[in-house]
Amino acid sequence: MASTWKELLVILISSSLVSNVVLSQFLGLCPFLGVSKKVETAAGMGTAVIFVITLASAVAGLIYQYILVPLDITYLQTIVFILVIAALVQFVEMVLKKFMPGLYVALGVYLPLITTNCAVLGVALKNVQKQYGILPSIVNGFATAAGFTVAIVILAGIREKIEYNDVPQSFKGMPIVLVTAGLMAIVFCGFAGLLRG
């Protein structure tokens, strides 16, 4: 049991910080750069991504383990995972539209983009590739989404502060955001030492 908890802790730290989906693997950059103008919107997007990726990891793991493998149709995994993700995003979109219309409007086009966010599919495929069980898949999904949320909220906070700074004309707008994201990626490389030894 202790080794299981240790394994889950390693997955949690690795997926959220060391192998951050945005800053190390460069997956999910579209919403990362597009929705990070305000901290509130970034936090809302992060919450939606946490819900979708965690649930997608659980559902995709169950479908893979109990339907695709027994029927020997694992070659359909990518198509099945895409369908699961699309259905979950539609569900999240309906819930936000009904209960949080302000956040729904603020997220705009980026909410449906979660469907095509390669980070969501990447997590489901990584779970299969690493042969994670259901619980490790859920932990990996949650940790990956939490890492995405941390990164997007930090970038949004920095972008809010940059607006009041004197930035050279050639760096205004997206260039300074890309430089900031690059510096964040370098900083997150420092977390690699957490899992050594």
Side-chain angles (χ1 to χ4, degrees), residues 49-65 81 84-85 88 119-128 132-145:
V49 167
I50 286 174
F51 179 77
V52 169
I53 290 183
T54 305
L55 204 54
S57 296
V59 173
L62 288 168
I63 289 173
Y64 183 81
Q65 209 165 17
F81 293 167
V84 166
I85 292 163
L88 289 172
V120 185
L121 180 60
V123 170
L125 293 173
K126 180 181 176 184
N127 290 339
V128 169
Y132 286 152
I134 303 301
L135 183 59
S137 292
I138 294 170
V139 170
N140 183 47
F142 174 79
T144 301

Side-chain angles (χ1 to χ4, degrees), residues 51-125:
F51 179 77
V52 169
I53 290 183
T54 305
L55 204 54
S57 296
V59 173
L62 288 168
I63 289 173
Y64 183 81
Q65 209 165 17
Y66 295 110
I67 296 175
L68 299 181
V69 171
L71 294 176
D72 197 27
I73 52 173
T74 54
Y75 56 88
L76 293 175
Q77 69 186 14
T78 305
I79 295 168
V80 170
F81 293 167
I82 289 171
L83 292 173
V84 166
I85 292 163
L88 289 172
V89 170
Q90 288 300 314
F91 176 72
V92 169
E93 197 170 354
M94 289 187 302
V95 168
L96 286 179
K97 191 173 185 179
K98 174 94 174 154
F99 298 108
M100 299 178 206
L103 181 58
Y104 174 78
V105 171
L107 291 175
V109 71
Y110 294 101
L111 186 58
L113 279 177
I114 297 176
T115 304
T116 58
N117 187 343
C118 51
V120 185
L121 180 60
V123 170
L125 293 173

